[in-house]
Amino acid sequence: ERKAQEAVGLLERQKLKDQIEAEKARRALLELQAESSAVQSMGSAKAEARARAEAAQIEMQAELEQAKLRAQAQKIQSESELEETRMRQEAEISFLSRKNELEITRAREMAGIEREKFKEQVAAIGQEAIIKIAQAGPEMQVSF
């Protein structure tokens, strides 16, 4: 979220810079237009054409600068989104890893419990009783 706030802050700064540059370009354009009007009143077609060309050039430069700034703002936003996605994926991987570790620990503990239960059952029945039960199986099959 901090990255997102930083990105928003950068975008706002970039927006203000864009507005300042646009105002400078507008002012330059107005100055050129005023100069052009003065030249026009004197009847100089050549000066008027040059002023218009310069105004168009300034306008194009301003548009180019704005396009660069928009691209930079888009890059910042994309990087912020990428970082957010990366952090979310890392959190998910960490969660799944911990979950798997817990499942493995649980399975080991259950196996230990089952092993102890089996030992207790064998101890309760006794070794001789287990041997007699094992021998009784083949003897019972023979008597059928």
Side-chain angles (χ1 to χ4, degrees):
E1 184 163 330
R2 192 182 109 248
K3 293 273 185 186
Q5 289 176 348
E6 287 177 14
V8 169
L10 286 172
L11 288 173
E12 289 297 323
R13 266 190 265 137
Q14 200 62 52
K15 191 175 180 182
L16 288 173
K17 287 179 182 178
D18 287 350
Q19 289 173 347
I20 290 169
E21 288 299 321
E23 280 300 320
K24 286 179 182 178
R26 279 190 207 102
R27 189 184 66 164
L29 180 61
L30 288 173
E31 288 174 3
L32 288 173
Q33 287 174 342
E35 182 182 322
S36 177
S37 293
V39 170
Q40 184 179 16
S41 67
M42 293 175 15
S44 176
K46 182 178 177 183
E48 181 181 340
R50 189 176 83 222
R52 285 183 184 166
E54 288 176 7
Q57 182 180 6
I58 289 172
E59 192 174 336
M60 289 299 147
Q61 287 175 342
E63 287 178 15
L64 178 64
E65 186 64 27
Q66 283 182 344
K68 286 179 184 178
L69 295 174
R70 278 193 298 269
Q72 187 178 12
Q74 181 62 38
K75 178 183 175 190
I76 291 168
Q77 183 176 1
S78 296
E79 288 173 351
S80 174
E81 290 171 359
L82 181 64
E83 180 66 16
E84 182 180 334
T85 300
R86 185 191 62 76
M87 290 172 57
R88 189 178 20 237
Q89 288 173 344
E90 284 179 1
E92 185 176 349
I93 288 169
S94 176
F95 168 76
L96 292 175
S97 177
R98 182 68 181 131
K99 180 181 171 189
N100 289 339
E101 288 173 10
L102 290 172
E103 287 177 6
I104 289 169
T105 302
R106 181 181 172 274
R108 284 183 181 150
E109 289 176 0
M110 291 302 292
I113 291 170
E114 288 298 318
R115 184 176 56 249
E116 288 301 316
K117 181 179 169 184
F118 182 73
K119 281 183 185 178
E120 289 173 6
Q121 288 175 345
V122 168
I125 295 173
Q127 188 176 3
E128 290 182 21
I130 292 174
I131 293 172
K132 287 182 181 178
I133 292 170
Q135 289 173 348
E139 291 173 2
M140 295 297 275
Q141 291 176 358
V142 173
S143 60
F144 274 113

